[in-house]
Amino acid sequence: MTTPFPFTAVVGQDDLRLALLLNAVSPAVGGVLVRGEKGTAKSTAVRALSALMPEVDVVSECRFSCDPGSPDPGCPDGPHEPGGFASRPARMVELPVGASEDRLVGALDIERALSEGVKAFEPGLLADAHRGILYVDEVNLLHDHLVDLLLDAAAMGASYVEREGVSVRHAARFLLVGTMNPEEGELRPQLLDRFGLTVEVAASREPEQRVEVVRRRLAYDDDPAGFAARWAEEEADVRARIVAAKKLLPSVRLGDDALRQIAATCAAFEVDGMRADIVMARTATALAAWAGRTDVLAEDVRQAALLALPHRRRRNPFDAPGLDEDKLDETLEEFSGDDDPDPDPDPDPDSGPDEPGGGGGQPAPEDGPQGGDQEARPEAEQDGQPQPQPSGAGEQSAARASEPFRTKVLSVPGLGEGAAGRRSRARTEHGRTMGARRPKGTLTKLHLAATVQAAAPHQRARGRSGPGLVVRRDDLRQATREGREGNLVLFVVDASGSMAARQRMSAVKGAVLSLLLDAYQRRDKVGLVTFRGSGAEVALPPTSSVDAAAARLESLPTGGRTPLSAGLLRAHDVLRVERLRDPARRPLVVVVTDGRATGGPEPVALAGRAARLFAAEGVASVVVDCESGPVRLGLAGQLAGELGGTAVTLDELRADSIAGLVKDVQGTSRRAA
């Protein structure tokens, strides 16, 4: 068995370690979501936590980890007789992003259930994680159907497996911990709210601290057991402190003044629902117990707010997480009471590795490439990516986007088989039942009528003598279902001089931001190609991070000629490469332009030939016509005809103005094909 990296040996990351420890003290806090760049010890700290968790008593031979003091009356392995228990370490179960539904919730033997009436059930990861930790690395990439199952289990504390009237239920209460890199896409709002606390982590910019990280990592890699032994005493101290805090927790008093501060804080920051208030109350109580106190102080409420509220304030994926700490302090001060005579709103800034806490829920601003001087840095360095700067006459700096609006859905025609999403029709594991087929591999969704129909003609030959139906493996039929898939929405944006009018470009960016927001809600991948001057560039390769696309769009300058053909050809290359990486995901190309083509010999003819490449391959496309003024040339409409798509104006893009747009997109694409 691999020796885990010691929890107390993790350098820095005080907020991360504190959030994990608070959940170890009080699992009712609701878990932790860890957001941050790669290589910041997210997974290391989470895996190390399992070694600090107190042991649990379980019923002997129970596959569902029932508590001998109060066994689950509905346990599939029950009923359990009194006595007969064992102690074991709390488990940490990892849920792979690509896991199947059966692997998560368990598998029911449908053949035996139909023919023998036996509930033969193989437990899944939710059963393994009961009374332990369920860890999801890259949780933002988890498939939607698995997210739905996690949401149900987290809400009810139980897992249900149902197949055509045969059901199995078992308890599933676990500490949910997820890690993610925001550059790879945001998390679904429903699952985001299920995490009690969130922590933003970043690598230190202090050379000495970075040296210590490398030193400890190399020492661990050379001799894991020896390195762990050197930290055994610190690990034992933290483990004992967790046990003491758990015992003290029921005695902690959450006074009315602290409750008013919690309620006032949640109201001041306009968080949705009441879950934030409850999580803050539980977190503040756990903080007091961790500090060895029986009263909740204002400093506990403040720290609880910094851990529990940032991810609940986001209204769309373009909002940066975080809290205004000045506003927080003002709210706490306004609603402070007499039961906290000496409130200290500022946690100890010198808390070190042995005293996690006081980090404020957000990494402190630092100097350097990712520090707190963002506004002072030149535009070329924003977001850690070099951005094109005005370099010639007629080229203008970036215009700010107008307010985004709700758009009508654009979908790809036909029936796909891509990743689950909410945009276009597709064959999926979930949705309306459309037919049946023989299963390929493990049966996941039984089509009962088709199975009975396949088995019925053979009952006499199989010697059926009783009321039961004799069913064999060859009789089973898998239900085929139709749902929705996510697509690759590739934006091709004209940033040339003809688009350079500030008000006009602001409207264009607002429209693209609106479509990006729609893509986020429909679980699409997005990409961004821009063209101006003498060529085109891929501003953002296909990704699930729509906020990264929004950042690239926001800093996009305009000016120069209009190399429309170059933009289309570059987009065609992006689709070709992405088709090799993800062949099942169908693309939707959104060209944002006024249709003018300039620069080089025969620019209009070249643009037409490039557009016909998309039409020949049946790629669904929409041209957003940005032409304005009393005189319109209609060039965007001509381009849409060459692409085999449709053209809409900026005004028509709004949801209340384009009732027939989806039909137009699909109909035009079919005619082109």
Side-chain angles (χ1 to χ4, degrees), residues 467-517:
L469 188 67
V470 181
V471 179
R472 294 180 179 173
R473 176 67 58 180
D474 291 343
D475 301 327
L476 299 180
R477 294 294 183 269
Q478 173 85 25
T480 58
R481 299 173 182 256
E482 181 181 311
R484 292 279 169 176
E485 67 176 0
N487 299 110
L488 167 59
V489 182
L490 182 61
F491 294 94
V492 186
V493 180
D494 184 349
S496 64
S498 62
M499 303 282 288
R502 285 306 183 98
Q503 187 175 1
R504 182 177 176 186
M505 198 60 194
S506 293
V508 168
K509 288 187 176 182
V512 178
L513 281 177
S514 303
L515 291 167
L516 282 171
L517 182 58

Side-chain angles (χ1 to χ4, degrees), residues 284-300:
T285 305
L287 280 162
W290 177 250
R293 289 185 270 101
T294 56
D295 286 316
V296 174
L297 305 182
E299 63 192 68
D300 301 321

Side-chain angles (χ1 to χ4, degrees), residues 411-486:
S411 63
V412 178
L415 195 63
E417 295 182 345
R422 297 185 181 85
R423 184 171 295 278
S424 305
R425 295 172 55 232
R427 298 182 186 90
T428 60
E429 289 293 321
H430 302 269
R432 286 190 304 140
T433 299
M434 304 299 294
R437 60 173 174 80
R438 290 182 181 272
K440 299 176 182 178
T442 304
L443 178 72
T444 56
K445 297 291 182 182
L446 178 75
H447 195 295
L448 183 58
T451 299
V452 172
Q453 187 177 10
H458 309 290
Q459 297 304 296
R460 183 175 297 178
R462 293 174 182 174
R464 173 184 170 184
S465 58
L469 188 67
V470 181
V471 179
R472 294 180 179 173
R473 176 67 58 180
D474 291 343
D475 301 327
L476 299 180
R477 294 294 183 269
Q478 173 85 25
T480 58
R481 299 173 182 256
E482 181 181 311
R484 292 279 169 176
E485 67 176 0

Side-chain angles (χ1 to χ4, degrees), residues 15-224:
D15 285 340
L16 169 58
R17 293 187 296 139
L18 177 63
L20 292 172
L21 290 171
L22 292 177
N23 276 273
V25 171
S26 176
V29 166
V32 186
L33 174 65
V34 187
R35 296 165 46 94
E37 58 196 23
K38 52 188 177 292
T40 49
K42 299 189 298 291
S43 299
T44 298
V46 174
R47 294 189 176 101
L49 176 68
S50 60
L52 300 178
M53 298 287 286
E55 290 192 340
V56 295
D57 294 333
V58 297
V59 175
S60 300
E61 308 301 325
C62 176
R63 297 174 297 167
F64 301 88
S65 302
C66 278
D67 184 349
S70 57
D72 180 10
C75 177
D77 285 355
H80 299 300
E81 298 295 331
F85 70 92
S87 295
R88 62 162 176 78
R91 293 172 178 158
M92 193 195 76
V93 178
E94 294 196 38
L95 171 61
V97 170
S100 66
E101 181 179 332
D102 285 348
R103 184 72 186 99
L104 178 61
V105 301
L108 188 65
D109 191 329
I110 297 297
E111 184 177 0
R112 291 189 63 190
L114 289 177
S115 59
E116 304 174 30
V118 176
K119 294 182 180 180
F121 182 69
E122 183 66 29
L125 296 177
L126 290 179
D128 292 342
H130 179 48
R131 304 176 67 202
I133 303 171
L134 181 63
Y135 172 47
V136 189
D137 193 14
E138 297 181 325
V139 63
N140 51 323
L141 303 182
L142 199 64
H143 286 280
D144 272 6
H145 69 285
L146 298 182
V147 170
D148 292 336
L149 294 170
L150 273 182
L151 288 173
D152 290 342
M156 297 183 291
S159 174
Y160 292 83
V161 182
E162 299 193 18
R163 301 285 170 84
E164 302 298 338
V166 181
S167 65
V168 173
R169 173 210 167 274
H170 64 82
R173 293 182 296 274
F174 46 82
L175 169 59
L176 180 61
V177 181
T179 55
M180 60 174 282
N181 184 348
E183 294 179 355
E184 297 172 344
E186 283 298 336
L187 196 60
R188 219 172 112 179
Q190 292 91 334
L191 183 57
L192 186 65
D193 190 52
R194 286 293 177 184
F195 286 98
L197 309 179
T198 186
V199 177
E200 295 278 337
V201 297
S204 172
R205 298 297 183 258
E206 293 293 333
E208 289 302 319
Q209 196 170 66
R210 296 175 74 96
V211 166
E212 186 61 24
V213 170
V214 175
R215 182 183 291 120
R216 293 187 187 183
R217 186 71 215 189
L218 293 178
Y220 170 78
D221 291 340
D222 290 341
D223 182 10

Side-chain angles (χ1 to χ4, degrees), residues 7-22 25 45 49 52 199 234-235 237-239 241-242 286-288 290-291 293 299-300 303 307 347-361:
F7 187 85
T8 51
V10 175
V11 179
Q13 308 296 12
D14 292 342
D15 285 340
L16 169 58
R17 293 187 296 139
L18 177 63
L20 292 172
L21 290 171
L22 292 177
V25 171
L49 176 68
L52 300 178
V199 177
E234 288 84 350
E235 293 281 286
D237 290 344
V238 174
R239 191 179 298 111
R241 188 174 173 185
I242 292 174
L287 280 162
W290 177 250
R293 289 185 270 101
E299 63 192 68
D300 301 321
Q303 183 67 54
L307 293 173
D348 180 8
D350 299 321
S351 58
D354 296 331
E355 292 288 337

Side-chain angles (χ1 to χ4, degrees), residues 272-324:
D272 295 332
M274 294 299 298
R275 184 174 285 119
D277 303 62
I278 296 171
V279 170
M280 273 190 65
R282 290 171 174 167
T283 304
T285 305
L287 280 162
W290 177 250
R293 289 185 270 101
T294 56
D295 286 316
V296 174
L297 305 182
E299 63 192 68
D300 301 321
V301 176
R302 185 182 195 277
Q303 183 67 54
L306 292 168
L307 293 173
L309 296 188
H311 61 302
R312 293 187 165 89
R313 290 190 61 250
R314 303 191 77 186
R315 293 295 184 267
N316 64 63
F318 312 135
D319 293 338
L323 290 182
D324 182 340

